[in-house]
Amino acid sequence: MNYKIPDEIISVLPDVLKAPVCRIASSSASTIQEIRLRRGKILSVSVIDEEFYLTIDGNLTKNSEQGIRISNNDIEDVFMASCKYSIHSYQNEIALGFLTINGGHRIGLCGTPVIKNGIIENIKDISSLNIRIARQMIGCSDNIYSQIFRNNLKSVLFVGPPSSGKTTVLRDLCRKLGDRNKLSIIDERNEISATINGQPQNNIGMFSDVFNSYPKAEGILTAIRVMSPGIIVCDEIGSNKDISALKNAINSGVKIVATAHSGSINEAIDKKGISDLITLKAFEYIVLLGVKDKLGQIVDIRKIGDSDV
């Protein structure tokens, strides 16, 4: 397959960067996860767990002297193009530290926060941009779906360390579940649906409703009130408000699929809020992702005390 960096990403790059990025060979482009721009530093790309520099010819190198140096104008150009030259229209996303462009690709923002009453209202003096390439991995949840959801809806907690694929699997699971059930996605950081102007960029199922950029707790409670879902999906639970809202959902008879950061199942169930949910039988299964020796391990909640978790 002849893969290239997506056109939606090329479109927000300044002219000086467009050609080198377009020249990246298919074999390299297919493995790139992130493109990072830092003021006054060399453009870098992330390939799995390894960092490379990009040359003017579109080659990946470990030699920084051969890389492309990023200017202040490059940062400004990408930022403005990513918010379609209307900072005001994207103020909420900017305050959260990211912009979502067509195709579901995300531009992470690093700079100085403008804080009012303890709340970040804006980010100024942007120093770095992280362009995360969105690749919806259709079918990556097939095994989990067939083992857990084949007959009826279940409540499932996915756990794993950062970058273990929790959101990727969750996104594909929404596609499968949302084609058969009324599903509400509480997409606080717009990472599951990649919604732009009310239109999800990712395939998240025919019967899925997206609560885009809602704080999780408010989104969960609103979904219960107004959409009568059979199942609610949300990412990265952990706060007391999240746990309280999830308890409310459970009492309403709604199934829950959620994720939480953790290096192991035991570590996850030792966390106060998650432990409370498990005690309430909020989840029927826990799935561990991203840990090589137990990748994709599925554990029935009744077995969480066993020594092999």
Side-chain angles (χ1 to χ4, degrees), residues 6-302:
D7 290 339
E8 298 92 345
I9 290 177
I10 301 296
S11 70
V12 302
L13 297 176
D15 291 340
V16 69
L17 298 181
K18 276 186 169 71
V21 173
C22 284
R23 293 187 187 116
I24 296 174
S26 175
S27 58
S28 297
S30 63
T31 61
I32 292 174
Q33 298 169 322
E34 299 174 340
I35 301 173
R36 293 178 180 262
L37 290 72
R38 302 174 175 93
R39 287 185 188 266
K41 297 185 179 180
I42 307 302
L43 183 150
S44 66
V45 300
S46 301
V47 179
I48 308 178
D49 295 324
E50 200 168 1
E51 298 296 317
F52 294 90
Y53 302 108
L54 180 67
T55 73
I56 195 72
D57 297 319
N59 297 317
L60 304 187
T61 178
K62 287 290 189 177
N63 186 350
S64 62
E65 295 182 359
Q66 297 177 6
I68 304 167
R69 190 170 297 277
I70 299 301
S71 70
N72 290 345
N73 287 339
D74 293 335
I75 296 287
E76 295 299 329
D77 288 348
V78 174
F79 173 66
M80 292 303 297
S82 298
C83 61
K84 299 180 180 177
Y85 304 93
S86 177
I87 294 175
H88 176 74
S89 299
Y90 288 82
Q91 201 65 61
N92 288 339
E93 281 192 296
I94 292 170
L96 290 172
F98 66 88
L99 293 163
T100 303
I101 63 174
N102 289 339
H105 312 290
R106 167 166 294 193
I107 316 294
L109 311 174
C110 181
T112 304
V114 177
I115 300 175
K116 185 176 181 180
N117 297 325
I119 298 174
I120 296 176
E121 290 193 338
N122 196 5
I123 297 177
K124 65 178 183 178
D125 302 329
I126 294 173
S127 57
S128 303
L129 299 172
N130 179 24
I131 304 173
R132 298 182 63 181
I133 300 175
R135 295 189 179 98
Q136 188 166 10
M137 297 182 64
I138 300 296
C140 69
S141 69
D142 284 355
N143 182 53
I144 292 168
Y145 181 87
S146 65
Q147 292 191 57
I148 297 178
F149 297 99
R150 180 181 294 277
N151 297 319
N152 46 49
L153 292 177
K154 299 290 197 308
S155 290
V156 182
L157 177 66
F158 289 88
V159 301
S163 301
S164 59
K166 297 187 297 296
T167 303
T168 301
V169 171
L170 199 65
R171 187 183 299 124
D172 192 55
L173 201 55
C174 286
R175 175 184 65 85
K176 296 180 74 69
L177 291 171
D179 269 345
R180 298 165 176 82
N181 308 275
K182 290 189 296 182
L183 183 150
S184 288
I185 301 172
I186 316 304
D187 206 357
E188 183 172 20
R189 297 188 63 83
N190 200 20
E191 289 186 305
I192 302 171
S193 63
T195 294
I196 297 176
N197 297 325
Q199 178 67 48
Q201 302 294 293
N202 292 323
N203 180 352
I204 44 128
M206 290 295 293
F207 303 116
S208 295
D209 301 300
V210 180
F211 289 80
N212 178 35
S213 300
Y214 271 71
K216 275 189 287 291
E218 287 79 358
I220 291 166
L221 297 176
T222 303
I224 294 169
R225 285 197 303 267
V226 305
M227 298 309 293
S228 63
I231 187 166
I232 287 176
V233 173
C234 58
D235 211 0
E236 298 181 15
I237 63 171
S239 74
N240 290 335
K241 290 182 68 176
D242 296 347
I243 303 303
S244 177
L246 288 170
K247 289 178 181 178
N248 193 299
I250 296 158
N251 291 334
S252 300
V254 180
K255 296 294 185 181
I256 302 293
V257 173
T259 71
H261 289 310
S262 181
S264 70
I265 290 177
N266 279 333
E267 180 185 323
I269 63 179
D270 283 342
K271 295 180 178 179
K272 179 64 169 64
I274 293 176
S275 176
D276 290 346
L277 290 173
I278 289 173
T279 299
L280 291 171
K281 303 186 185 306
F283 300 109
E284 293 155 270
Y285 291 90
I286 299 180
V287 179
L288 179 63
L289 298 175
V291 181
K292 290 183 179 179
D293 60 338
K294 295 184 178 179
L295 182 63
Q297 179 191 16
I298 300 173
V299 175
D300 189 295
I301 203 70
R302 293 166 297 184

